[in-house]
Amino acid sequence: MALFDFLKRKETEEVDVEPALFPRGASREALADKTESTLKTAGDFDRWWKPFGTISSLLIFIGVLWGVSYNVWAWLDRPVEQIVIIGTAQHLDRKALAEDIGTGLKHGLLSADIVVIRELVSEHPWVRVAAIKRDWPNRLVINIEEEVPVARWGERGLLNHQGDIFWPELKDEYLSLPRLSGPAPETERVMAQFHDLSQMLRQVGLNVVSLNLEARGAWTFELDNQIKVTVGREAINERLRRFLDLYQLRLSKQVDEIEAIDIRYTHGVAVKWREKPEDENAG
């Protein structure tokens, strides 16, 4: 009987424990609320921590990238130690040009302003076109195309084959070039007329040494035999053909006696003869 009472008490104790371990009703809801609150707190923590971790990683990456970039930039932006001028040049002083560029160069190879350098090079009268290239680690390479003079312009300028005027320091070697002159906006027209005139006169063995376009549009030129020819403004080609016919027929035999020819007339020319020395007149 005592054993039966003991077992019964044990069974009762076990049954009494169950409500404490597995609460029902309001007790179970309280536990659920507590668990949900704990999970919510953990979720809030994760939500705030993840952006912080992302930002921290990004800042570290930016710092590393900046450090690498700074070192790379420092290597690329070394001081320019050599300026190389390449390209065919007969008149250009390469050394003087390189010194001028070096004097105006205030930055390293990478930070140097290529546009400014190109403008500086193009200001040189003998440079027609310039291409500039960085050559790491410390060279600046400048490829130039030099102006080719085909004629003089007035007393101080030169013309290239496109009729562009440039103004270098004139030397005696340029005195053999034909001398052209006229209004500055008409350089291309003067060059074209010189080309056509030279081709026509070359057929009879004559060369043009000067050509002038007056402001009112009249043309005059001088030949290599020192004869000056006045053409005028109208019927240029017709007058020149008449002059060439007359020159071949008669005037070529009297070149030494002719000072000037005016071909502005419709059916002929006017010839100005050179004055003979006084001793010949006396004889």
Side-chain angles (χ1 to χ4, degrees):
M1 191 66 179
L3 177 60
F4 175 76
D5 292 338
F6 173 75
L7 292 176
K8 189 175 182 180
R9 286 198 304 272
K10 293 290 290 180
E11 184 177 345
T12 303
E13 291 176 0
E14 291 177 0
V15 172
D16 292 339
V17 171
E18 182 179 355
L21 296 176
F22 303 100
R24 293 182 178 86
S27 300
R28 185 181 294 272
E29 292 177 0
L31 179 60
D33 292 341
K34 183 177 182 181
T35 303
E36 183 179 353
S37 176
T38 302
L39 294 175
K40 184 177 180 181
T41 303
D44 292 341
F45 178 77
D46 290 342
R47 187 168 66 252
W48 288 101
W49 171 254
K50 287 181 180 179
F52 177 77
T54 302
I55 294 174
S56 299
S57 301
L58 181 60
L59 292 175
I60 294 173
F61 174 76
I62 293 174
V64 173
L65 183 62
W66 183 87
V68 173
S69 301
Y70 178 81
N71 291 331
V72 172
W73 179 276
W75 185 86
L76 294 176
D77 200 34
R78 294 184 180 184
V80 178
E81 297 181 1
Q82 189 176 9
I83 298 175
V84 181
I85 310 294
I86 62 176
T88 303
Q90 297 180 353
H91 308 280
L92 179 68
D93 189 337
R94 298 171 186 262
K95 182 179 180 181
L97 179 59
E99 290 176 352
D100 290 344
I101 297 171
T103 301
L105 199 60
K106 305 299 183 183
H107 302 283
L109 186 60
L110 185 60
S111 57
D113 193 329
I114 296 298
V115 175
V116 173
I117 297 174
R118 185 182 295 110
E119 291 176 352
L120 176 63
V121 175
S122 299
E123 289 177 358
H124 195 286
W126 280 109
V127 176
R128 180 172 179 269
V129 179
I132 302 173
K133 181 180 69 173
R134 297 179 176 93
D135 186 19
W136 277 276
N138 55 11
R139 293 203 320 166
L140 194 66
V141 180
I142 301 174
N143 190 355
I144 64 163
E145 180 180 333
E146 190 180 53
E147 292 281 14
V148 178
V150 297
R152 289 180 291 153
W153 182 258
E155 298 296 333
R156 299 175 52 248
L158 294 176
L159 289 175
N160 62 19
H161 63 284
Q162 293 180 326
D164 298 326
I165 307 174
F166 58 104
W167 309 91
E169 181 183 355
L170 293 184
K171 300 179 181 179
D172 292 341
E173 61 186 285
Y174 310 136
L175 297 179
S176 60
L177 294 173
R179 181 182 178 276
L180 310 183
S181 58
E186 301 287 352
T187 55
E188 292 186 10
R189 181 184 175 193
V190 175
M191 279 290 300
Q193 184 63 51
F194 171 74
H195 177 74
D196 295 342
L197 184 62
S198 297
Q199 286 188 327
M200 293 181 66
L201 296 178
R202 205 172 288 131
Q203 299 173 8
V204 295
L206 296 175
N207 295 305
V208 180
V209 296
S210 71
L211 174 64
N212 177 57
L213 173 62
E214 298 178 3
R216 59 188 180 88
W219 294 94
T220 58
F221 64 88
E222 183 178 352
L223 300 172
D224 55 353
N225 55 18
Q226 298 182 339
I227 295 178
K228 297 177 181 179
V229 181
T230 302
V231 183
R233 295 181 295 177
E234 303 173 354
I236 305 299
N237 291 334
E238 179 182 344
R239 292 175 179 178
L240 287 172
R241 282 193 293 268
R242 185 170 64 249
F243 164 72
L244 291 178
D245 292 340
L246 183 60
Y247 182 85
Q248 290 178 291
L249 181 65
R250 180 177 177 181
L251 298 180
S252 60
K253 302 173 184 178
Q254 300 173 284
V255 169
D256 294 338
E257 303 174 33
I258 300 173
E259 180 178 337
I261 303 174
D262 189 339
I263 64 175
R264 290 177 293 179
Y265 301 92
T266 304
H267 301 292
V269 300
V271 178
K272 181 180 180 181
W273 304 95
R274 298 182 186 276
E275 295 182 2
K276 294 182 179 181
E278 293 183 1
D279 55 347
E280 292 186 12
N281 293 331

